[in-house]
Amino acid sequence: MKKRLPSLSSYGSGWSANRRIAIVASAVAVLLAVAGIVALLTGGGNGHQAPGTTAPTPSGSPSSSEAAPKPSSGSGSVSQPPQIAEPVAYAKAAAQMLWSYDTRDTSRDQQLAGMRAWMTTETKYADWASVSDQVPDPVLWSRMADQDQHATASVTEGHYPSAFKQALADDPSAITEAYIYVVTVNGTQQIAWKKGGGGAEERAVTLAVQCRPNHDCTLAAIAPSVTQ
């Protein structure tokens, strides 16, 4: 099987320890008193990986501080962020975007630029590293392009994890600091390459989505583990 874009369910190093602490502390400061939400956002919840996936460890992978290029040729096949003000609906759209790519007409820089367009512009809450780390290093992307590798995705459902719902129930006003919602999305990724090669794999991801009142939602981060 040809090498392919790493699954979002295998993002074990998505958040560095310091960055993870900063996201938790600033986005849901009041919720820190709730054990369930702390476990959820620090990867201590009941997470799982999609079958047959492993954490990507290619040498030369993008660093956590890698900036998103803004190529003049646009974002290739990466879809534009929708104008959605509901957290679960936006998370489902974001997951479908993250699980889709087409090396036949999209460069690595375009892929990163397209993904960056979905991110919140509030740097206090944005963890770009957790998103950009999902894209393979330039050498691997080039090899994928040599094989015309591409993927589409379908989303089956999205929901608020139980720990997050319990935290909100315990203190409904806590969300009003940053309006960061935690959403888990499940779906399927269909992968194809030259000479009829391909296959499908189940995917799952937990996202931090920012949805301030009277504003469209944006993506804040990818959590370090999937929590149902």
Side-chain angles (χ1 to χ4, degrees):
M1 182 176 289
K2 306 296 182 182
K3 290 184 177 180
R4 57 182 177 272
L5 189 67
S7 160
L8 290 187
S9 59
S10 58
Y11 43 66
S13 60
W15 279 344
S16 66
N18 290 338
R19 187 59 173 168
R20 183 166 62 246
I21 292 170
I23 287 290
V24 174
S26 60
V28 286
V30 178
L31 295 182
L32 287 178
V34 182
I37 201 64
V38 173
L40 174 66
L41 292 181
T42 58
N46 296 321
H48 69 274
Q49 292 185 329
T53 62
T54 57
T57 56
S59 60
S61 60
S63 67
S64 60
S65 60
E66 179 175 10
K70 297 180 180 180
S72 58
S73 55
S75 56
S77 63
V78 183
S79 61
Q80 295 295 310
Q83 295 181 319
I84 296 176
E86 198 282 317
V88 173
Y90 188 86
K92 290 166 68 176
Q96 187 169 29
M97 177 275 296
L98 290 166
W99 293 332
S100 304
Y101 61 91
D102 194 336
T103 63
R104 298 170 299 180
D105 60 13
T106 305
S107 68
R108 182 176 180 273
D109 282 357
Q110 288 176 317
Q111 185 74 23
L112 287 166
M115 293 164 67
R116 186 60 183 262
W118 290 67
M119 298 290 295
T120 177
T121 57
E122 297 184 40
T123 56
K124 181 179 181 181
Y125 305 119
D127 183 9
W128 169 238
S130 69
V131 177
S132 64
D133 281 354
Q134 309 310 309
V135 179
D137 65 85
V139 173
L140 180 53
W141 186 271
S142 178
R143 291 175 180 171
M144 291 164 59
D146 290 342
Q147 296 298 322
D148 291 342
Q149 192 164 311
H150 54 286
T152 57
S154 58
V155 170
T156 55
E157 67 87 34
H159 64 275
Y160 298 120
S162 57
F164 182 71
K165 290 191 293 184
Q166 184 59 54
L168 288 183
D170 291 341
D171 189 350
S173 66
I175 198 72
T176 60
E177 170 65 26
Y179 287 96
I180 299 289
Y181 298 83
V182 179
V183 183
T184 293
V185 180
N186 291 279
T188 303
Q189 183 186 51
Q190 298 82 32
I191 307 166
W193 52 85
K194 281 182 177 179
K195 299 180 180 180
E201 296 181 352
E202 294 182 358
R203 293 285 181 255
V205 65
T206 297
L207 304 174
V209 175
Q210 185 178 47
C211 298
R212 289 194 179 280
N214 303 315
H215 288 81
D216 294 330
C217 297
T218 54
L219 179 62
I222 296 175
S225 64
V226 177
T227 303
Q228 297 294 345

